[in-house]
mmCIF file of all heavy atoms in Angstrom:
data_model
loop_
_atom_site.group_PDB
_atom_site.id
_atom_site.type_symbol
_atom_site.label_atom_id
_atom_site.label_comp_id
_atom_site.label_asym_id
_atom_site.label_seq_id
_atom_site.Cartn_x
_atom_site.Cartn_y
_atom_site.Cartn_z
ATOM 1 N N THR W 9 98.431 94.301 100.349
ATOM 2 C CA THR W 9 99.338 93.152 100.293
ATOM 3 C C THR W 9 98.941 92.308 99.093
ATOM 4 O O THR W 9 97.778 91.900 98.971
ATOM 5 C CB THR W 9 99.252 92.317 101.579
ATOM 6 O OG1 THR W 9 99.604 93.156 102.694
ATOM 7 C CG2 THR W 9 100.197 91.124 101.522
ATOM 8 N N VAL W 10 99.893 92.042 98.200
ATOM 9 C CA VAL W 10 99.633 91.310 96.968
ATOM 10 C C VAL W 10 100.095 89.869 97.099
ATOM 11 O O VAL W 10 101.213 89.604 97.558
ATOM 12 C CB VAL W 10 100.343 91.981 95.771
ATOM 13 C CG1 VAL W 10 100.206 91.135 94.508
ATOM 14 C CG2 VAL W 10 99.786 93.384 95.539
ATOM 15 N N LEU W 11 99.223 88.934 96.710
ATOM 16 C CA LEU W 11 99.538 87.508 96.723
ATOM 17 C C LEU W 11 99.807 87.049 95.293
ATOM 18 O O LEU W 11 98.997 87.325 94.394
ATOM 19 C CB LEU W 11 98.385 86.706 97.322
ATOM 20 C CG LEU W 11 97.796 87.206 98.646
ATOM 21 C CD1 LEU W 11 96.709 86.243 99.136
ATOM 22 C CD2 LEU W 11 98.865 87.387 99.692
ATOM 23 N N ARG W 12 100.929 86.344 95.073
ATOM 24 C CA ARG W 12 101.316 85.919 93.725
ATOM 25 C C ARG W 12 101.495 84.404 93.647
ATOM 26 O O ARG W 12 101.756 83.739 94.655
ATOM 27 C CB ARG W 12 102.627 86.594 93.303
ATOM 28 C CG ARG W 12 102.563 88.113 93.248
ATOM 29 C CD ARG W 12 103.876 88.712 92.778
ATOM 30 N NE ARG W 12 103.854 90.164 92.826
ATOM 31 C CZ ARG W 12 103.424 90.933 91.834
ATOM 32 N NH1 ARG W 12 103.004 90.359 90.707
ATOM 33 N NH2 ARG W 12 103.409 92.241 91.939
ATOM 34 N N ASP W 13 101.383 83.883 92.403
ATOM 35 C CA ASP W 13 101.649 82.463 92.196
ATOM 36 C C ASP W 13 103.097 82.273 91.775
ATOM 37 O O ASP W 13 103.892 83.232 91.744
ATOM 38 C CB ASP W 13 100.687 81.869 91.161
ATOM 39 C CG ASP W 13 100.845 82.477 89.768
ATOM 40 O OD1 ASP W 13 101.816 83.228 89.541
ATOM 41 O OD2 ASP W 13 99.993 82.194 88.903
ATOM 42 N N ALA W 14 103.470 81.045 91.440
ATOM 43 C CA ALA W 14 104.855 80.735 91.112
ATOM 44 C C ALA W 14 105.336 81.455 89.857
ATOM 45 O O ALA W 14 106.537 81.682 89.683
ATOM 46 C CB ALA W 14 105.017 79.222 90.941
ATOM 47 N N ALA W 15 104.404 81.817 88.959
ATOM 48 C CA ALA W 15 104.777 82.529 87.740
ATOM 49 C C ALA W 15 104.828 84.036 87.943
ATOM 50 O O ALA W 15 105.098 84.781 86.998
ATOM 51 C CB ALA W 15 103.798 82.180 86.621
ATOM 52 N N GLY W 16 104.545 84.493 89.145
ATOM 53 C CA GLY W 16 104.576 85.913 89.423
ATOM 54 C C GLY W 16 103.279 86.644 89.152
ATOM 55 O O GLY W 16 103.192 87.860 89.340
ATOM 56 N N ARG W 17 102.233 85.917 88.731
ATOM 57 C CA ARG W 17 100.946 86.559 88.471
ATOM 58 C C ARG W 17 100.263 86.935 89.786
ATOM 59 O O ARG W 17 100.364 86.208 90.775
ATOM 60 C CB ARG W 17 100.046 85.631 87.679
ATOM 61 C CG ARG W 17 100.515 85.360 86.256
ATOM 62 C CD ARG W 17 99.604 84.360 85.575
ATOM 63 N NE ARG W 17 99.564 83.098 86.328
ATOM 64 C CZ ARG W 17 98.875 82.028 85.948
ATOM 65 N NH1 ARG W 17 98.125 82.081 84.860
ATOM 66 N NH2 ARG W 17 98.899 80.922 86.678
ATOM 67 N N VAL W 18 99.564 88.045 89.757
ATOM 68 C CA VAL W 18 98.829 88.493 90.946
ATOM 69 C C VAL W 18 97.584 87.637 91.092
ATOM 70 O O VAL W 18 96.729 87.610 90.205
ATOM 71 C CB VAL W 18 98.459 89.974 90.854
ATOM 72 C CG1 VAL W 18 97.630 90.391 92.060
ATOM 73 C CG2 VAL W 18 99.705 90.835 90.731
ATOM 74 N N LEU W 19 97.476 86.925 92.202
ATOM 75 C CA LEU W 19 96.302 86.099 92.477
ATOM 76 C C LEU W 19 95.200 86.904 93.145
ATOM 77 O O LEU W 19 94.022 86.787 92.799
ATOM 78 C CB LEU W 19 96.690 84.925 93.380
ATOM 79 C CG LEU W 19 97.679 83.913 92.815
ATOM 80 C CD1 LEU W 19 98.119 82.943 93.908
ATOM 81 C CD2 LEU W 19 97.043 83.157 91.657
ATOM 82 N N ALA W 20 95.597 87.698 94.131
ATOM 83 C CA ALA W 20 94.621 88.470 94.896
ATOM 84 C C ALA W 20 95.322 89.628 95.582
ATOM 85 O O ALA W 20 96.551 89.624 95.755
ATOM 86 C CB ALA W 20 93.931 87.591 95.931
ATOM 87 N N GLU W 21 94.516 90.621 95.956
ATOM 88 C CA GLU W 21 95.015 91.742 96.742
ATOM 89 C C GLU W 21 94.238 91.811 98.050
ATOM 90 O O GLU W 21 93.010 91.704 98.051
ATOM 91 C CB GLU W 21 94.853 93.057 95.977
ATOM 92 C CG GLU W 21 95.730 93.150 94.737
ATOM 93 C CD GLU W 21 95.611 94.498 94.038
ATOM 94 O OE1 GLU W 21 94.722 95.285 94.434
ATOM 95 O OE2 GLU W 21 96.395 94.761 93.121
ATOM 96 N N VAL W 22 94.959 91.972 99.135
ATOM 97 C CA VAL W 22 94.351 92.124 100.452
ATOM 98 C C VAL W 22 94.579 93.567 100.887
ATOM 99 O O VAL W 22 95.723 94.004 101.039
ATOM 100 C CB VAL W 22 94.960 91.148 101.471
ATOM 101 C CG1 VAL W 22 94.273 91.304 102.831
ATOM 102 C CG2 VAL W 22 94.846 89.711 100.982
ATOM 103 N N ALA W 23 93.482 94.310 101.049
ATOM 104 C CA ALA W 23 93.571 95.724 101.403
ATOM 105 C C ALA W 23 93.106 95.925 102.837
ATOM 106 O O ALA W 23 91.975 95.583 103.184
ATOM 107 C CB ALA W 23 92.724 96.560 100.452
ATOM 108 N N ASP W 24 93.990 96.472 103.662
ATOM 109 C CA ASP W 24 93.687 96.795 105.058
ATOM 110 C C ASP W 24 93.375 98.290 105.113
ATOM 111 O O ASP W 24 94.265 99.122 104.954
ATOM 112 C CB ASP W 24 94.896 96.444 105.929
ATOM 113 C CG ASP W 24 94.621 96.618 107.414
ATOM 114 O OD1 ASP W 24 93.580 97.195 107.768
ATOM 115 O OD2 ASP W 24 95.463 96.178 108.230
ATOM 116 N N ASP W 25 92.082 98.624 105.298
ATOM 117 C CA ASP W 25 91.629 100.013 105.187
ATOM 118 C C ASP W 25 91.265 100.596 106.543
ATOM 119 O O ASP W 25 90.491 100.002 107.304
ATOM 120 C CB ASP W 25 90.385 100.099 104.290
ATOM 121 C CG ASP W 25 90.681 99.788 102.835
ATOM 122 O OD1 ASP W 25 91.874 99.769 102.471
ATOM 123 O OD2 ASP W 25 89.733 99.566 102.069
ATOM 124 N N THR W 26 91.787 101.775 106.815
ATOM 125 C CA THR W 26 91.347 102.573 107.950
ATOM 126 C C THR W 26 90.587 103.764 107.381
ATOM 127 O O THR W 26 91.155 104.585 106.652
ATOM 128 C CB THR W 26 92.545 103.046 108.788
ATOM 129 O OG1 THR W 26 93.279 101.900 109.260
ATOM 130 C CG2 THR W 26 92.066 103.855 109.991
ATOM 131 N N VAL W 27 89.300 103.854 107.702
ATOM 132 C CA VAL W 27 88.394 104.750 106.993
ATOM 133 C C VAL W 27 87.845 105.822 107.932
ATOM 134 O O VAL W 27 87.448 105.527 109.064
ATOM 135 C CB VAL W 27 87.209 103.959 106.388
ATOM 136 C CG1 VAL W 27 86.308 104.878 105.562
ATOM 137 C CG2 VAL W 27 87.703 102.784 105.553
ATOM 138 N N THR W 28 87.808 107.055 107.435
ATOM 139 C CA THR W 28 87.062 108.132 108.083
ATOM 140 C C THR W 28 86.048 108.639 107.064
ATOM 141 O O THR W 28 86.425 109.066 105.969
ATOM 142 C CB THR W 28 87.980 109.276 108.519
ATOM 143 O OG1 THR W 28 88.984 108.765 109.407
ATOM 144 C CG2 THR W 28 87.183 110.361 109.224
ATOM 145 N N ALA W 29 84.777 108.561 107.405
ATOM 146 C CA ALA W 29 83.716 108.854 106.444
ATOM 147 C C ALA W 29 82.798 109.948 106.964
ATOM 148 O O ALA W 29 82.460 109.972 108.148
ATOM 149 C CB ALA W 29 82.906 107.597 106.153
ATOM 150 N N THR W 30 82.395 110.821 106.059
ATOM 151 C CA THR W 30 81.459 111.902 106.382
ATOM 152 C C THR W 30 80.225 111.760 105.503
ATOM 153 O O THR W 30 80.337 111.711 104.267
ATOM 154 C CB THR W 30 82.092 113.278 106.142
ATOM 155 O OG1 THR W 30 83.266 113.398 106.943
ATOM 156 C CG2 THR W 30 81.107 114.393 106.484
ATOM 157 N N ALA W 31 79.056 111.680 106.121
ATOM 158 C CA ALA W 31 77.789 111.667 105.373
ATOM 159 C C ALA W 31 77.249 113.085 105.334
ATOM 160 O O ALA W 31 77.309 113.818 106.327
ATOM 161 C CB ALA W 31 76.790 110.739 106.056
ATOM 162 N N PHE W 32 76.721 113.492 104.175
ATOM 163 C CA PHE W 32 76.125 114.815 104.038
ATOM 164 C C PHE W 32 74.615 114.722 104.221
ATOM 165 O O PHE W 32 73.995 113.686 103.947
ATOM 166 C CB PHE W 32 76.440 115.411 102.659
ATOM 167 C CG PHE W 32 77.914 115.567 102.397
ATOM 168 C CD1 PHE W 32 78.501 114.983 101.290
ATOM 169 C CD2 PHE W 32 78.707 116.286 103.268
ATOM 170 C CE1 PHE W 32 79.854 115.117 101.044
ATOM 171 C CE2 PHE W 32 80.070 116.433 103.040
ATOM 172 C CZ PHE W 32 80.655 115.848 101.922
ATOM 173 N N GLY W 33 74.034 115.805 104.695
ATOM 174 C CA GLY W 33 72.587 115.845 104.844
ATOM 175 C C GLY W 33 71.899 115.754 103.499
ATOM 176 O O GLY W 33 72.473 116.121 102.464
ATOM 177 N N ALA W 34 70.682 115.269 103.483
ATOM 178 C CA ALA W 34 69.947 115.083 102.231
ATOM 179 C C ALA W 34 69.840 116.399 101.461
ATOM 180 O O ALA W 34 69.267 117.372 101.956
ATOM 181 C CB ALA W 34 68.562 114.522 102.518
ATOM 182 N N GLY W 35 70.409 116.438 100.254
ATOM 183 C CA GLY W 35 70.322 117.613 99.408
ATOM 184 C C GLY W 35 71.188 118.778 99.841
ATOM 185 O O GLY W 35 71.027 119.883 99.333
ATOM 186 N N THR W 36 72.141 118.555 100.759
ATOM 187 C CA THR W 36 72.997 119.646 101.226
ATOM 188 C C THR W 36 74.453 119.198 101.192
ATOM 189 O O THR W 36 74.760 118.019 101.029
ATOM 190 C CB THR W 36 72.659 120.056 102.678
ATOM 191 O OG1 THR W 36 73.169 119.063 103.591
ATOM 192 C CG2 THR W 36 71.153 120.191 102.871
#
């Protein structure tokens, strides 16, 4: 979701993340 000012410039971005993460074994 992008937030803008009156001139249309991007002030900030709000990112809603749903994450699935896999860690690998050390050196494998």
